[in-house]
Amino acid sequence: MAQRRMVTIDGNEAAAYIAHLTNEVCAIYPITPASPMGEHADEWSSLGRKNLWGTVPHIIEMQSEGGAAGAIHGSLQTGALTTTFTASQGLLLMIPNMYKIAGELTPAVFHVAARSLAAQALSIFCDHSDVMATRATGFAQLCAGSVQEVMDMALIAQAATLEGRVPIVHFFDGFRTSHEIAKIEEIDDETVGAMIRDDLVQAHRARAMNPEHASVRGTSQNPDVYFQARESVNPYYGQMPGIVQSAMDRFGELTGRRYRLFDYVGAEDAERIVILMGSGAEAAHETVDRLTAQGEKVGLLKVRLFRPFAPEALVAALPASARRIAVLDRTKEPGADGEPLYKDVVTALAQTMAEGDAPFGEMPRIIGGRYGLSSKEFTPGMVKAVFDELDAERPRNHFTVGIHDDVGHTSLEWDAAFRTGSKEVSRAVFYGLGSDGTVRANKNSIKIIGECTDLYAQGYFVYDSKKSGAVTVSHLRFGPDPIRSSYLIADDEAQFVGCHQTVCLERYDM
């Protein structure tokens, strides 16, 4: 195992680092909050930084995300390793090309800082609406929940797509993970080289369109063959979960950080389980640790690979003692009888029970809920409220948590005073205005703490969508252990409060 090198960076830089190292072409178009990934890649190439094979990746900015997707498709067809970075409506503009790329079994990784879609209003903040809109394209979907996981999953995705030939959307929560600064272990070139097999790279190149060995693809098909051809990809998708797990296992041997398609944490005999993916799983992990320490039989299942969905791996990861399960989705599908992850879990468990292969004595009761749309806060108190609901005689289905729903009355009440953070962690909050230097100064401070001390550090910065001149609040944590707190520092938690604009004294309770 290589010597550890710790760096203090945000999620966007973590993804871009691996993408630039393992690709030859990046076709991009900027969109918040994914723009910094393309900016990093562009800067590195302009400085002559080379990829794994000793060449400088070619960065091309198109006139829209639709153009970027077309450039990606064309570049992949020439045998070049190609990627992009996007979010929200930008990802939607890529859907037609995504169907083609997946239909032609072309390995690629799209890195997505997941963001809300414009519905009743536009929002630049995080949920999984954009990623969920692409789940029928044929792309696999691999989720990272922290800055460390972003770097790790980016590499696992690149290794798995080359072997399985199924393209992958590697996604993580916009702003909450993409812009969070954290101290993580950087993956060195030797490890990246060990993960990316040269024979699979050469196989991708050999499939390129080339007049020296002409081939035809992308034809028009009639009813006599289209159906059969569409079904012919089934073996590839059937093998993909195993390929991803194999890449995870290989990565674990190289780095010591081990992942499963579904990672379980909590009591071995847990009766109440929460299932979710993304940064919310970090807050849930912290909460489960606190509740199990108090003797409660609770657990958390983190979803890593959402597509192709692997029912056998899901059931194997759940403790046989599970009696009640809450599945949390960070998206809303109006008119559906449940959100995507909830419906997949229900179907997986129902099919397994029907086939008699489930370890449970009887079918667990499963409820679904929504949380965190447009970066709405998701705190340990809210996680505990979900576990409390599971303990009710008749737990509510299709609930919301984190809002006070006075229209549909779907919301759970939660204890805002419930705390799980370690007493050894120092917490500071700084108020400023956009473009006044507060955020930049605090980014520098948290990087100095991360890089010049043995402490773990986390910095998260709340921006108003109006940006320049609007209020910013910087949340800084640092302490001796890795920090899972994927939520804001509460008013009564901060040990230091900085006010860089006197107008904040008039508007906020300092």
Side-chain angles (χ1 to χ4, degrees), residues 201 238 302 397 445 464:
V201 174
K302 301 180 183 181
N397 203 356
S445 297
D464 190 292

Side-chain angles (χ1 to χ4, degrees), residues 145-375:
S146 67
V147 178
Q148 181 70 71
E149 289 179 15
V150 168
M151 184 173 285
D152 296 350
M153 294 299 167
L155 179 55
I156 289 166
Q158 192 68 46
T161 193
L162 284 167
E163 183 173 354
R165 292 186 58 187
V166 174
I168 298 177
V169 166
H170 164 235
F171 72 98
F172 45 93
D173 288 353
F175 284 114
R176 183 63 260 182
T177 306
S178 68
H179 283 60
E180 176 187 310
I181 294 176
K183 185 174 183 175
I184 67 169
E185 184 178 334
E186 185 179 72
I187 303 172
D188 59 38
D189 290 10
E190 182 181 347
T191 301
V192 176
M195 286 291 294
I196 305 299
R197 288 170 46 186
D198 282 338
D199 61 323
L200 297 176
V201 174
Q202 291 305 318
H204 171 60
R205 300 205 195 292
R207 290 188 295 268
M209 299 190 78
N210 189 322
E212 297 300 319
H213 45 86
S215 61
V216 62
R217 60 191 66 164
T219 61
S220 174
Q221 293 179 345
N222 289 326
D224 56 340
V225 296
Y226 183 89
F227 191 173
Q228 296 95 310
R230 200 73 193 98
E231 293 293 326
S232 68
V233 301
N234 291 347
Y236 291 90
Y237 287 87
Q239 295 167 11
M240 194 62 181
I243 289 170
V244 174
Q245 185 59 64
S246 176
M248 289 176 168
D249 293 342
R250 199 159 70 249
F251 181 84
E253 292 296 325
L254 292 166
T255 67
R257 294 189 296 281
R258 301 185 182 277
Y259 298 101
R260 306 288 299 171
L261 303 183
F262 299 90
D263 269 326
Y264 177 78
V265 294
E268 292 183 3
D269 57 348
E271 298 177 353
R272 292 172 287 151
I273 311 288
V274 166
I275 301 176
L276 75 164
M277 57 186 168
S279 63
E282 293 295 282
H285 190 149
E286 195 177 272
T287 307
V288 165
D289 284 347
R290 173 59 58 89
L291 295 177
T292 53
Q294 296 172 353
E296 297 205 36
K297 295 182 178 181
V298 298
L300 162 69
L301 194 66
K302 301 180 183 181
V303 179
R304 308 289 191 195
L305 184 68
F306 178 60
R307 285 287 183 273
F309 201 77
E312 303 85 359
L314 169 76
V315 174
L318 287 169
S321 53
R323 297 292 174 265
R324 294 189 170 186
I325 297 172
V327 185
L328 300 182
D329 280 90
R330 199 163 197 165
T331 188
K332 179 174 177 60
E333 292 199 356
D337 60 345
E339 271 61 51
L341 181 58
Y342 163 77
K343 294 180 78 171
D344 281 357
V345 171
V346 170
T347 302
L349 267 63
Q351 287 180 167
T352 307
M353 291 295 294
E355 292 165 1
D357 297 331
F360 318 110
E362 59 183 31
M363 176 76 171
R365 180 157 190 165
I366 307 172
I367 60 174
R370 295 179 296 280
Y371 76 100
L373 268 66
S374 184
S375 289

Side-chain angles (χ1 to χ4, degrees), residues 106-125:
T106 313
V109 179
F110 287 15
H111 301 274
V112 176
R115 181 189 129 181
S116 300
L117 294 174
Q120 81 284 357
L122 179 144
S123 171
I124 64 170
F125 296 102

Side-chain angles (χ1 to χ4, degrees), residues 59-138:
I59 314 298
I60 178 169
E61 182 175 332
M62 303 298 288
Q63 291 181 309
S64 76
E65 290 89 355
I72 294 159
H73 187 200
S75 177
L76 288 167
Q77 290 300 324
T78 70
L81 296 169
T82 310
T83 189
T84 192
F85 318 103
T86 191
S88 192
Q89 260 69 25
L91 182 61
L92 297 197
L93 288 168
M94 296 185 175
I95 285 177
N97 285 96
M98 292 174 73
Y99 273 97
K100 292 290 293 178
I101 292 166
E104 294 161 357
L105 293 171
T106 313
V109 179
F110 287 15
H111 301 274
V112 176
R115 181 189 129 181
S116 300
L117 294 174
Q120 81 284 357
L122 179 144
S123 171
I124 64 170
F125 296 102
C126 165
D127 58 47
H128 298 161
S129 305
D130 53 358
V131 175
M132 293 301 147
T134 68
R135 66 186 190 276
T137 61

